[in-house]
Amino acid sequence: MSTSSAAPPAKPPMRDALVAAAFQLFMERGYEQTTVDDIVALAEVGRRSFFRYFPSKEDVVFPDHESCLADMTAFLAAGESDTEPVRRVCDAARLVLRMYAENPAFSVQRYRLTRRVSGLRAYELSVVWRYERALAAYLRGRFAGRPDGTLRADVIAAAVVAAHNNALRSWLRSDGKGDAEAAVDHALACVQTAFADAPARPASPFPPESPRPDDVVVLVARRDTPLWQVVRQFEATQGESR
Amino acid sequence: MSTSSAAPPAKPPMRDALVAAAFQLFMERGYEQTTVDDIVALAEVGRRSFFRYFPSKEDVVFPDHESCLADMTAFLAAGESDTEPVRRVCDAARLVLRMYAENPAFSVQRYRLTRRVSGLRAYELSVVWRYERALAAYLRGRFAGRPDGTLRADVIAAAVVAAHNNALRSWLRSDGKGDAEAAVDHALACVQTAFADAPARPASPFPPESPRPDDVVVLVARRDTPLWQVVRQFEATQGESR
């Protein structure tokens, strides 16, 4: 993983022109009926220019995922080792949301296209898989040596991606109306509740072996209380005197 | 979703012969270098027979997923509404493991093939996605009307699939040695711990509003105890007098 934080090269206008031409044709004629030749003719560039930017017609549909994946990997690599790991991967997932939210009209258009073309759906699944593996790889590093570390890493990465995509898809289905960031924040908070270690606390004058009385939580629950309620109750109690 | 429980039709020998011929050639020559013509020649059947069973060359690599998906859907549809929902989807996921574990040599061979051929990897992702959606659809039904019901359904379905696949892949990487079912049971138990509602209890002579004293759990924890530890502690206390 690279830790370089150099600014990415600016997007060349030709690349943007190709994306714009491609989407204009996909909307007018349909994805399958549009060829790379049609796209380069409309954008007034050569075929070789197209393939310099995009390995295939499918790639032009998702022009920003590669750079987003690179950003995510760099973000995770740059993390301080004292950041709570689940919070860190939730923040990394927000980079994807930001990419979608930057251009709602384009994102909604692409969402509709992807629903209709099964090949694009498959492409999207492979992109989602790569995001998930980036998150899981980070968590595997953070959980190294813990019992069930890789299991925990894989499950949390999948849960984060599922929560993010649940909120993202709702927003896309609503034609990009509403507050996508708030929806994703709420969804990711649910995953953090289920999985996060306790947030880092300021250094205490008391050694860990002798907690101050107000550092102890007493929780009374019916034996058959659902676990998620216990978690919420514990969290609420945890937060009370902070 | 179908609730039919009629026995599936027996696999015709010709279908098995095509799968066997295909894998023999994939191993000898490689996947890309093998054509459907090669496969039907070795199996001594006509091309049309191949396409009667398999829409494409990719489908012959995963000959049992369609029937497994159908089994999973039927299993979920047949569930009693008082089964704890997370337990139910975990049991549904075990149907997939069983399919792999039935034929370890074949499963390991396919796993190696899938690692090498990116097209097959993409195919596999789309299959995994369909399993995940089947589990999520069931959970969405069970959580209908709950706050965050679809979010919870999607996150749990993803977590179940990730846990199952973590254990399945470890087993496949170890060439099918070891107890796959025990590994999957352990992985799924972790997801159940994080998400399951309390298991159904036998009818009590006491109404829910007045629990018996031993139906109350008192849990004392440091305020900064990680949530997962609280969950384990609560579960351990919950189980003590059962």
Side-chain angles (χ1 to χ4, degrees):
Chain A
M1 287 201 290
S2 159
T3 55
S4 158
S5 59
K11 276 184 217 166
M14 194 190 285
R15 190 173 184 279
D16 291 345
L18 283 163
V19 173
F23 270 83
Q24 186 184 321
L25 292 169
F26 295 160
M27 293 300 123
E28 283 171 13
R29 308 180 183 181
Y31 175 81
E32 305 288 9
Q33 290 72 41
T34 301
T35 65
V36 170
D37 284 331
D38 298 334
I39 297 168
V40 298
L42 183 62
E44 298 182 332
V45 302
R47 260 181 86 82
R48 285 211 309 206
S49 298
F50 182 92
F51 289 109
R52 193 185 313 146
Y53 295 115
F54 305 107
S56 73
K57 191 173 79 170
E58 285 174 350
D59 294 284
V60 78
V61 179
F62 305 94
D64 298 321
H65 277 302
E66 285 301 332
S67 67
C68 189
L69 262 161
D71 289 350
M72 180 187 277
T73 306
F75 173 82
L76 291 170
E80 302 295 327
S81 61
D82 61 354
T83 320
E84 198 287 312
V86 182
R87 174 180 294 267
R88 189 81 191 161
V89 290
C90 286
D91 288 344
R94 277 183 251 270
L95 296 174
V96 181
L97 189 268
R98 205 165 304 153
M99 175 188 69
Y100 278 83
E102 258 174 16
N103 197 340
F106 178 72
S107 297
V108 169
Q109 208 175 41
R110 173 170 61 195
Y111 176 73
R112 291 187 195 144
L113 188 65
T114 308
R115 294 306 92 179
R116 286 196 299 267
V117 183
S118 68
L120 295 179
R121 184 83 199 105
Y123 186 103
E124 195 177 53
L125 285 178
S126 73
V127 172
V128 171
W129 174 248
R130 290 170 67 199
Y131 286 122
E132 189 173 316
R133 295 328 294 163
L135 302 182
Y138 170 80
L139 291 172
R140 282 171 172 232
R142 293 296 304 273
F143 298 156
R146 273 201 200 188
D148 291 326
T150 74
L151 172 62
R152 193 173 165 77
D154 287 0
V155 167
I156 293 175
V160 166
V161 167
H164 173 277
N165 287 350
N166 176 285
L168 173 62
R169 277 194 302 267
S170 294
W171 178 72
L172 291 169
R173 268 197 304 270
S174 76
D175 296 338
K177 298 203 173 62
D179 187 341
E181 293 207 20
V184 165
D185 285 348
H186 171 73
L188 293 175
C190 293
V191 174
Q192 276 189 253
T193 301
F195 290 112
D197 293 344
R201 289 168 59 77
S204 155
F206 298 88
E209 289 70 30
S210 52
R212 296 191 319 225
D214 72 337
D215 266 351
V216 172
V217 168
V218 178
L219 188 150
V220 181
R222 283 176 54 103
R223 193 176 294 280
D224 59 357
T225 307
L227 271 178
W228 62 271
Q229 280 186 4
V230 174
V231 166
R232 282 203 193 154
Q233 200 180 330
F234 179 75
E235 283 215 316
T237 322
Q238 239 185 351
E240 263 167 17
S241 63
R242 286 205 177 152
Chain B
M1 289 202 288
S2 158
T3 54
S4 158
S5 60
K11 276 185 215 165
M14 194 191 285
R15 190 172 185 279
D16 291 346
L18 284 163
V19 173
F23 270 81
Q24 185 184 324
L25 293 169
F26 296 159
M27 294 298 123
E28 284 172 12
R29 308 179 183 180
Y31 176 79
E32 305 288 10
Q33 290 72 40
T34 301
T35 67
V36 170
D37 283 332
D38 298 334
I39 297 167
V40 298
L42 183 62
E44 299 182 329
V45 302
R47 260 181 85 83
R48 286 211 310 206
S49 299
F50 182 93
F51 289 109
R52 194 186 312 149
Y53 296 115
F54 306 107
S56 72
K57 191 173 80 171
E58 286 175 348
D59 293 284
V60 77
V61 179
F62 304 94
D64 297 322
H65 277 303
E66 284 302 332
S67 67
C68 188
L69 261 160
D71 289 351
M72 180 187 276
T73 306
F75 173 82
L76 291 170
E80 301 296 324
S81 61
D82 60 355
T83 318
E84 198 286 313
V86 182
R87 174 180 294 266
R88 189 80 190 159
V89 290
C90 287
D91 287 344
R94 277 182 250 268
L95 295 174
V96 181
L97 189 269
R98 205 164 305 153
M99 175 189 68
Y100 278 82
E102 257 174 16
N103 197 340
F106 178 73
S107 297
V108 168
Q109 207 175 41
R110 173 171 59 195
Y111 176 73
R112 292 187 192 144
L113 188 64
T114 309
R115 293 306 93 179
R116 286 197 299 267
V117 183
S118 68
L120 295 179
R121 184 83 199 106
Y123 185 104
E124 195 178 52
L125 285 177
S126 73
V127 172
V128 171
W129 174 249
R130 290 170 67 199
Y131 286 121
E132 190 173 316
R133 294 327 296 163
L135 302 181
Y138 170 81
L139 290 172
R140 282 171 173 232
R142 293 296 304 273
F143 298 156
R146 272 203 200 187
D148 291 324
T150 74
L151 172 63
R152 193 173 164 76
D154 287 1
V155 167
I156 294 175
V160 166
V161 167
H164 173 277
N165 286 349
N166 175 285
L168 173 62
R169 277 194 301 267
S170 293
W171 178 73
L172 290 169
R173 269 198 303 273
S174 76
D175 296 338
K177 297 200 174 62
D179 187 340
E181 293 208 18
V184 165
D185 285 347
H186 171 73
L188 293 175
C190 293
V191 174
Q192 276 190 252
T193 301
F195 291 113
D197 294 342
R201 289 168 59 76
S204 154
F206 298 87
E209 288 69 31
S210 53
R212 295 191 320 225
D214 71 336
D215 266 349
V216 172
V217 169
V218 178
L219 188 150
V220 181
R222 284 176 55 103
R223 193 175 294 280
D224 58 357
T225 306
L227 271 178
W228 62 270
Q229 279 185 5
V230 175
V231 166
R232 280 202 196 156
Q233 200 179 330
F234 179 74
E235 284 214 316
T237 323
Q238 240 185 350
E240 262 167 17
S241 65
R242 286 207 181 149

